[in-house]
Amino acid sequence: MIRFGKRALLGAAAAAVLAAPLAAPALAQGQFPTRPITMIIPFAAGGPTDTVGRLVAQVMGQDLGQTVVVENVGGAGGTLGAQRVAQARPDGYTVLLHHIGMATTPSLYRRLAYDPINGFEPLGLVTEVPMTLVARRNFPANNLQELVAVVRRERDKLNYANAGIGAASHLCGLLFMKAVDAPMTTVPYRGTGPAMNDLVAGTVDLMCDQTTNTTEQIRAGTIRGFAATTRERVASLPDLPTAAEAGLPGFEVSVWHGLYAPRATPAPVLERLNRALVAALRDENLGRRFAELGTAPVPVERATPAVHRTFWQEDIAKWRPLIQAAGQYAD
Ligand code: ASP
């Protein structure tokens, strides 16, 4: 097996450009990847980030001619997995599929063992997923208004599951508790995959999670959906009212996902990974599966490092004052 260091890769890429200035491939064939790539998912298996990541990894692997192996590194609201990638060798063999937590972590965590902004090279946006407010099947309410009344009455006797501070479920829960002005006891998990198991079992009461995790459970009746936190109804759950329709206007949050490499990964490698991402987003089976789960791949013009970087920076700036005003810190 041949391994290419950063200098060798750059040198090879420069040579390729000199030799063939028109439509030159950034890497000569066979240079990258020559072995499997690891995609870190910073949450537990079986959850929504994992679901999106596995679908993307499979098609990227076909395009790259190498398996993209998913590894779940959950815990601490996604920061453990992000740290693993920020500190990985920047050779393209370790990538991160993460969500909106990349935009909230810099404000929520004042001390981290990695740089949550400059530690990464964005590769492209992947998808934006609606959230839903869900409850255990036998929760004593028939609609959102009744649920809010129960939450206000029972307050901290109720359990609210989330995937740790900075997770989408945490943010969505915060917005909900603020909207109804009632705190609940939060139960953190390594991801909302295991949290969903407990919600189905009825050992926790409520959760806010992506449709990529809740659509099939709501449809099967193993949990109850009370609202979609989007402006429009979600196509995969047409009977589910939006929060505004159900009486909580302004309770809106959706979750974007992006793909990242460690900082200083060579440009030709980034370019190759981006091409594989775009191939995944164009894949019909992936599109169909995303649609079944209430989401869609981003248009491919948004799956670029430049668009991703700008969007990410804007989202960091959007969340910072909200988090500071809420006085929420993870440490
Ligand atoms: N949906 C989770 C969150 O709250 C994470 C996951 O397990 O994918 O951010």
Side-chain angles (χ1 to χ4, degrees):
M1 180 171 57
I2 306 170
R3 288 195 188 192
F4 291 93
K6 182 177 164 190
R7 195 174 299 162
L9 276 174
L10 289 174
V17 169
L18 284 177
L22 293 176
L27 286 171
Q29 277 224 324
Q31 280 190 338
F32 174 86
T34 57
R35 59 188 167 89
I37 290 172
T38 300
M39 177 187 282
I40 302 288
I41 303 291
F43 296 103
T49 312
D50 181 68
T51 297
V52 167
R54 282 176 198 271
L55 289 165
V56 170
Q58 203 206 343
V59 192
M60 280 186 72
Q62 287 158 12
D63 186 76
L64 290 162
Q66 290 286 344
T67 311
V68 178
V69 182
V70 167
E71 189 180 335
N72 299 87
V73 182
T79 57
L80 297 182
Q83 176 176 344
R84 170 80 79 83
V85 177
Q87 295 172 348
R89 186 194 289 253
D91 56 8
Y93 287 99
T94 311
V95 295
L96 172 73
L97 191 132
H98 203 340
H99 65 19
I100 191 170
M102 287 295 279
T104 56
T105 294
S107 306
L108 280 167
Y109 288 78
R110 288 168 294 191
R111 276 182 296 274
L112 283 167
Y114 66 100
D115 185 331
I117 301 172
N118 299 313
F120 302 91
E121 306 281 358
L123 284 161
L125 295 169
V126 175
T127 177
E128 200 158 318
V129 189
M131 296 289 275
T132 46
L133 181 69
V134 294
R136 63 180 153 81
R137 186 165 53 173
N138 54 358
F139 194 90
N142 292 311
N143 52 45
L144 185 63
Q145 298 283 354
E146 290 182 17
L147 179 138
V148 168
V150 175
V151 168
R152 288 196 173 126
R153 196 174 59 237
E154 303 290 326
R155 300 177 78 85
D156 48 9
K157 281 193 215 107
L158 293 172
N159 289 322
Y160 175 89
N162 72 19
I165 293 191
S169 44
H170 163 245
L171 299 167
C172 188
L174 269 188
L175 294 178
F176 176 68
M177 289 182 223
K178 197 161 169 262
V180 304
D181 193 25
M184 285 179 273
T185 306
T186 50
V187 185
Y189 291 79
R190 293 171 84 80
T192 46
M196 178 61 82
N197 294 340
D198 281 3
L199 195 69
V200 170
T203 52
V204 285
D205 298 306
L206 289 156
M207 182 163 75
C208 204
D209 204 16
Q210 288 106 298
T211 55
T212 32
N213 203 29
T214 61
T215 295
E216 288 174 350
Q217 302 286 6
I218 293 173
R219 283 214 196 126
T222 52
I223 59 168
R224 302 264 312 278
F226 282 88
T229 65
T230 38
R231 217 161 277 177
E232 309 289 334
R233 287 193 179 203
V234 179
S236 64
L237 293 163
D239 298 333
L240 190 68
T242 66
E245 285 172 338
L248 266 190
F251 175 42
E252 264 178 39
V253 51
S254 72
V255 176
W256 57 272
H257 293 74
L259 188 68
Y260 304 80
R263 185 188 184 173
T265 303
V269 173
L270 295 176
E271 194 262 341
R272 183 67 192 92
L273 288 168
N274 170 263
R275 263 196 291 140
L277 172 63
V278 169
L281 300 182
R282 286 200 163 117
D283 184 77
E284 275 179 22
N285 287 334
L286 179 135
R288 209 170 303 126
R289 188 67 189 127
F290 271 22
E292 286 166 1
L293 297 173
T295 185
V298 295
V300 289
E301 54 284 5
R302 297 188 69 213
T304 68
V307 171
H308 185 175
R309 188 180 294 281
T310 305
F311 184 83
W312 179 26
Q313 280 166 350
E314 285 172 359
D315 218 41
I316 291 172
K318 184 183 105 185
W319 280 101
R320 184 163 282 132
L322 295 173
I323 290 168
Q324 282 170 351
Q328 275 277 327
Y329 292 105
D331 43 22

